[in-house]
Amino acid sequence: MFYNQTIDEVKKALDADLKNGLNDEQVALRQKQYGMNQIEEGKKKSLLLRFLLQFKDALTIILILSAIISIVVDPQEWIDSAIIVFVVIVNAVLGIVQENNAQKSLDALKKMASPQAKVIRHGNTVSIPASQVVPGDVLVVEAGDCIASDARIIEAFNLKVDESALTGESVPVDKTNQPLTGEYPLAERNNMLYASCYVTYGRATAIVTAIGIDNEVGKIASLLQEAKEQNTPLQDKLDQIGKAIGVMCIVICIIVFGMELLSGMSFLDAFKTAVALAVAAIPEGLATVVTVVLALSVQKMAKKNAIIRSLPAVETLGSTSIVCSDKTGTLTQNKMTVVKVYRDGKNIEPIETCSENSYQLLNYFTLCSDGTISQIGEKEVAVGDPTETALVKASLNKGFTKKNLMAQYPRFDELAFDSDRKMMSVFVEDHGRYLQITKGGPDVIFDRCVNLNLDKVNEINEKMSQEALRVLALAIRYYDEKPENVTSAENETDMTFLGMVGMIDPPREEVKEAVAEAKKAGVRTIMITGDHIVTARAIAKALGILEDGQKAIMGDELSQMSDEQLFEHIEEYSVYARVAPEHKVRIVKAWKEKGKVVAMTGDGVNDSPALKAADIGCAMGITGSDVAKGAASMILTDDNFTTIIHSIREGRGIYDNIQKDVQFLLSSNIGEVLTIFGASLLSLILPGSFASPLLPIHLLWVNLITDSLPAFALGMGKTEADVMERPPRDKNEGFFAHGLALTILWQGIMIGGVTLIAFFIGNQISYPVGMTMAFITLCGSQLVHSFNVKSHHSILNKSLFDNVYLWGSLAAGLFLQIIIITIPELSDIFKLERLYLAQWLICVGLSLSTVIVCEIVKLIYKKTGNR
């Protein structure tokens, strides 16, 4: 048991090197011996099983049964039955291909969102995928990190770990590096770290003892694999809509079956027509189309630096009306650089020409940080918070490496930074004395210092802040005896102020444009930062976030406001400075109570409550802690505010495309139903004048070619140019709002109408000609109608050519139509006649007439102000 062993025993057992870590050769050998640090996924369904599951739908089973019945009753009609089976199999194959594409997209996103681990390799602290950790690796963890694997603690400073995921213990556990004697249950092994648990406070180094299936989490892997994939609310809603429409269609099919019998059609032919009509008319493909469109869309978003961790977030993005953004690294370039130095009693100095007297101040800042900068080959690699690595870089530029400084001033204790204190303290040995170095926000440091010219330092702080600099202050305290059991209340008082540094993190050039775009789209940007209010206000004004009539507020003022007061005045504030994590949650809740959909950015462990409270939690992919990433629904791989606005744009576009898919599929289905129903009704009213305009095989063909291909093409279409000129979609808005249901109905009537007209014209010559013209017109009108649906605006412009997939589906559909009509063997199977040029022109004209109708309606909408 590693928890019973001393540190030396653990090092020996795992052949670990605390100083240099493992080298590449050792890692390769151990990966070969132990495998990768990952839990194998449950056994996937075989290709054959997944293929057979494509036939589980009740309507598909009925269709196959009808084919069997047909061939048993009338063996000479085997061709129809064979075609039915062929189409069903092709549909199943397409279903498998679509499922595979969607799954590959989601698997790729899982890999991109996989956690990282910090380990010591070749003497440097490096960040690697957690799956590459091996036994004997020296793990480095700090607040916010998800622990990559089980490990024995070697060194711990104020370490607290949330082990609730493993033990159920809700309170973070204090950790130590001391060996335990005797047997201990898992929850009491306080010198061990366990995979999938989170560090909530402090930092530590530990030797990895087990990986993958040998972890404590690995031992219960089977329980973790029982989680089932769930549909998004939109998918469930569309599934319900599909079923409701399906029931209505079945009723219509039964009526059609009865009318076909009354008109003199044989029982078998009437039965096949009714079943084929049911399968063609019921939108059973809706859920599949939505699943594939969502999966492929989130993969496209990932390429644009936004990893969607949950599919419902895609639906919510389009409704976002408030974006609460952190400043550092999100609105700014995340290139923190120390540019000004103030040593107490001196003037503010530029870093480039600061006096040697200021070097000590810079070195103390470096000692009081957990950031590191390593030289790996020719590359300089910074690990840690950008603010801290900027401090380390300032010393490095003056010729002082952190490794040498740590050797000269060995650290023996620390008080880790937390957002409540806004300070961090380290305790080091200084030539026989003991030195405490504390850094933090100027206001909190000033309050803890003695013999301070408060007016002077406040003046310096204000001057730096007005230059949009982030200011950090530093104080020290000496002890004659080594302090034990250090606490903030006892130690972070009576300190001597030493100086301040001013850092600049310039605003990202593209953010101002993104803020303006968001404003035009009805999305308001709110800045939330830990910086001084003067700095925050200056940057917010430069970016267009803080406008005339809007206010900035400090966290202290916010604390004095009740929830009712905040709700009443929330719309007045665009900038929040010096905020604590609980303030973020209050801000989110107040906006949500106003009925707004809120996106919130965050990177720290204490940001996770706000990320969970927001409708869209956006974690930083570069600087974000694992806790923040776990709580978020979206991860920004570039930590850029602009990516959020792009994601909102994409979210609106994805929702638009899904609506277009539904509009196309349902209007096409209604057109098919009305074609058969209308002809059957007319045959009763005018006996002998009308027969069924379409055979079962025709309806199956339509279902396979002119429904499916354009639907997927529409789902992959580009986001419309004006999507960010619309207000956000109300989160309570129905899917068929703004007259979509009525649009679907009249477009279905239009498609059914032109098909019946084609049949009526051709039927004057002969029934086969009429049936052929109806078939061509139905297919043609649906292919053409997919272009009507592709945009809310007129399609008669250059945007007509911006969806190559749609043109591909048109080309494929036309090509296949021509083949089955011109090749005699195929036209015999489909019972189609060759048409004269005039008849072709009539079919083409009727198909294209749907464009004229839709363009007129769009023009009316434009004139009346409707979308």
Side-chain angles (χ1 to χ4, degrees), residues 420-433:
D420 293 325
R421 289 168 33 247
K422 297 185 176 66
M423 290 185 294
M424 172 185 180
S425 293
V426 299
F427 297 81
V428 301
E429 296 178 15
D430 183 9
H431 303 93
R433 300 176 71 191

Side-chain angles (χ1 to χ4, degrees), residues 234 237-238 241 245 286 655-667 670 729 733-748 785 789 792 861 866-867:
L234 177 58
K237 190 185 300 182
L238 291 179
I241 291 169
I245 294 174
L286 265 183
Y655 194 87
D656 259 10
N657 285 346
I658 290 173
Q659 279 194 316
K660 291 171 186 175
D661 270 329
V662 173
Q663 180 182 342
F664 173 73
L665 286 170
L666 293 188
S667 59
I670 289 171
R729 191 181 72 252
E733 179 181 292
F735 185 80
F736 293 96
H738 306 294
L740 181 60
L742 181 61
T743 298
I744 289 169
L745 180 60
W746 73 254
Q747 288 179 352
H785 185 53
V789 172
H792 300 295
Y861 281 168
N866 292 319
R867 197 177 76 175

